[in-house]
Structures are given as C-alpha cells and as structure tokens.
Amino acid sequence: LLARPAATLADASAGPPARGPGAPAPGDHVEPFDIIGSVAWMNAVLAHHALRPLYDAEGLALLLGELERKQELGVLQRLRVRDAHDRSLGWILYYLNPGGTSHVVQVGARRGEFARVLAQLIAHAWAGGAVALEGRVDPHDVGALARAECSFSHDGPWVCGWTRDAAVRDAVLRGDIYLSRLECEWWTNF
C-alpha cells in the first residue's frame, strides 16, 4: 500500500510498449460504437460459429441498459475497432476501471482479427488507467492472448450445459461456439 503511489507513477511514465507483443497495428484505432444500430453487422461477424447469439435491437438494448446501470465496476465502454482503411475489425464492450481491474464483457472480431481487436482493448484500457483486464477466454483465442503476454487462471465461473441435440453437444466440444459474458449470467451477479 505504501508503494502504490510510486508504482502508479512509474507505470504511467513507462506507458505501453510502442511495438511488441500486443501492441496495436499502425493505423488501427477505436471509436464509440452504436451497438444497437450495428446488430446485423454483429450477427454477420459471428456467423462462422456453429453456436452463437442471434441479436435483435430490442433484446440487445435491454441487455445494454442493464449493463449501464451496473456502475460499480466502472464506466461501460462501447468501442468499434477499425483499421487504417476504416474497415471494421470488431468491437469491444468492457468496464473501464481506472486504478483497478477492468472487466471485459464482450469482444467480437472478424475471423482472423481477434489479435488486432485485443491490442486495441489493451491499449484503450492502459490509456484509461486500468491496472488489469479480466474476462472469459475462448479456446481459439488463447494463442493471441498468449502472444500478447496475457496471463491465465481457471478461477471460473464455469458454464454447465446439457442437451439431447448431438450437433449442439459436438459444437460445444470442438469449441465452435461464441459465448461472452453478455450471453451468460455473469452481469446479473453484481
């Protein structure tokens, strides 16, 4: 506790690495994201997963309204990630908590662009004063997270499911599923 002010000052003066593991690609940037107006695009980005949410404006507005009311975790950030040619790469939904842990609700990315979206999440959280990011990890994203020098734990919460549908079971077992904290009950626990 006594060293926290000095450590905070040292972290702020060091800044994130200019290039290296997890550094944003030149020209990539974030901007505020109109999630409700982008429902069709979000559904299209997630379409390559066998199991995924199918958003509609009304349902997504309800979920986002609930997230907005949960201010004890920080300020909800809704960000779209674009490249230097203004092409949308993905989106980020997370709580920015300066001086503490920022909780990631959802990261959506075009196929093959997760690492670039992750780099923007890390840079945005760092610039906003976050000390750490916490969220759930999909198995197919572990490589990008490891290359960005992220650490992992198995603290849970865990997901338990049951189905008679073999196609659903097989999709889950092979990791062909998109499941974020937005679709789970995580956000109802606080």
Side-chain angles (χ1 to χ4, degrees), residues 5 7 12 20 25 39 49 63 68 76 82 95 97 124 128 132 144 158 181:
V39 170
H49 296 283
L63 290 173
E68 290 284 352
L76 186 64
R82 293 188 181 271
Y95 288 98
N97 180 20
H124 191 272
W158 298 94
R181 286 177 160 180

Side-chain angles (χ1 to χ4, degrees), residues 1-183:
L1 290 176
L2 295 175
R4 179 177 259 175
T8 301
L9 181 61
D11 284 347
S13 65
R19 285 298 304 148
D28 287 0
H29 59 281
V30 295
E31 63 187 29
F33 182 34
D34 172 19
I35 293 177
I36 305 304
S38 301
V39 170
W41 176 74
M42 291 169 64
N43 287 332
V45 167
L46 300 178
H48 67 276
H49 296 283
L51 293 177
R52 64 196 175 276
L54 183 58
Y55 296 118
D56 63 53
E58 183 179 340
L60 199 51
L62 175 70
L63 290 173
L64 291 171
E66 290 298 317
L67 289 173
E68 290 284 352
R69 283 191 276 287
K70 309 285 187 174
Q71 298 178 5
E72 54 272 17
L73 291 180
V75 178
L76 186 64
Q77 305 293 304
R78 303 174 189 197
L79 304 170
R80 182 186 297 252
V81 179
R82 293 188 181 271
D83 66 11
H85 304 288
D86 216 30
R87 185 178 72 103
S88 294
L89 302 176
W91 69 90
I92 303 163
L93 185 61
Y94 84 107
Y95 288 98
L96 178 59
N97 180 20
T101 299
S102 291
H103 294 271
V104 180
V105 177
Q106 186 178 64
V107 175
R110 290 184 181 274
R111 188 187 302 255
E113 302 294 3
F114 177 79
R116 292 172 73 181
V117 174
L118 173 66
Q120 288 297 319
L121 168 60
I122 293 168
H124 191 272
W126 179 278
V131 174
L133 290 164
E134 176 183 283
R136 69 172 304 283
V137 176
D138 283 325
H140 56 278
D141 295 331
V142 168
L145 289 159
R147 285 187 296 279
E149 299 181 355
C150 297
S151 63
F152 305 90
S153 70
H154 294 286
D155 296 338
W158 298 94
V159 175
C160 181
W162 182 88
T163 183
R164 288 185 178 151
D165 188 323
V168 170
R169 181 197 64 232
D170 293 345
V172 171
L173 292 177
R174 71 177 179 269
D176 193 6
I177 181 171
Y178 181 86
L179 186 64
S180 74
R181 286 177 160 180
L182 187 62
E183 292 80 42

